Amino acid sequence: MAVLPLNYMGDKVLRKKAKEVKEVDKELETLIGDMIETMYDKQGVGLAANQVGVARRLIVFDNVGLPYGTEPMVLVNPSIIEAEGKCQGEEGCLSIPELVEVVERAERIKVAGLDRQGQPVELEAEGLAARIIQHEIDHLDGVLFVDRVSPLKRNILVSKWNKIRKELVG
Ligand SMILES: [Zn+2]
């Protein structure tokens, strides 16, 4: 396994709509392992494949119901099949380090996809777990959390980010 370099807001791959995974093969298994290692190396709770430069529909996230790092979760071709309620909560993103903002998300969701063996799975999540999954699926559609706040807040975040990005990647 390897820690992969991250893409940051401003990198085109983060704005691409990721492509459906056709087959869960050895190559994908390696990518899954590397993404999990990268997520934990950066102390993240979730990571989408396009954040490491691969525009395919794959996300990993920490099972936040357990102590941090106990159980990495994997969803291939995830889609939200039910969503209920609304809740506000602070979000950050490994691709926009140092910035956080309150974002509205559905409170409870049901998600369908494939597990890391390629078997169909459905899972239900609420609160923080639901928030993380919604954030990661957004990535696969080229959407970042700054797109889900008011235009005023978005402008503030983007101008802060432009300074941070300069120091981070030049
Ligand atoms: Zn993110």
Side-chain angles (χ1 to χ4, degrees):
M1 295 210 289
V3 174
L4 303 170
L6 286 174
N7 286 98
Y8 298 109
M9 183 158 81
D11 295 342
K12 285 200 176 70
V13 69
L14 292 176
R15 293 307 192 175
K16 269 194 180 166
K17 195 171 161 65
K19 287 203 174 80
E20 199 99 331
V21 172
K22 292 271 189 292
E23 200 189 342
V24 179
D25 55 13
K26 275 263 175 324
E27 194 189 336
L28 198 83
E29 180 53 38
T30 302
L31 177 62
I32 290 168
D34 290 348
M35 282 175 60
I36 290 168
E37 189 168 342
T38 305
M39 170 177 73
Y40 287 131
D41 182 72
K42 308 294 180 200
Q43 278 94 53
V45 290
L47 191 68
N50 43 358
Q51 292 181 276
V52 293
V54 180
R56 298 177 73 190
R57 303 190 78 79
L58 162 65
I59 63 173
V60 301
F61 49 99
D62 186 57
N63 181 346
V64 289
L66 298 171
Y68 182 67
T70 306
E71 188 185 19
M73 311 282 287
V74 176
L75 276 176
V76 178
N77 300 335
S79 65
I80 294 169
I81 51 174
E82 278 177 43
E84 215 180 72
K86 291 262 176 278
C87 63
Q88 309 278 333
E90 267 193 350
E91 273 179 41
C93 180
L94 292 179
S95 292
I96 322 171
E98 296 179 42
L99 296 182
V100 289
E101 190 47 85
V102 173
V103 180
E104 185 178 282
R105 299 282 186 186
E107 181 149 32
R108 279 174 299 280
I109 56 169
K110 194 190 254 188
V111 196
L114 304 175
D115 66 13
R116 63 193 296 181
Q117 279 81 38
Q119 297 304 310
V121 281
E122 275 187 18
L123 65 94
E124 287 177 41
E126 62 175 73
L128 179 60
R131 174 172 299 280
I132 294 166
I133 295 167
Q134 290 171 84
H135 176 116
E136 300 313 329
I137 293 177
D138 264 359
H139 273 299
L140 302 181
D141 295 321
V143 175
L144 300 171
F145 83 85
V146 298
D147 306 327
R148 296 217 178 258
V149 301
S150 70
L152 179 67
K153 281 183 178 168
R154 187 183 196 281
N155 287 343
I156 294 167
L157 286 168
V158 169
S159 67
K160 280 185 186 165
W161 171 247
N162 289 339
K163 295 193 189 88
I164 297 167
R165 185 178 162 103
K166 258 196 203 109
E167 283 170 22
L168 206 63
V169 290

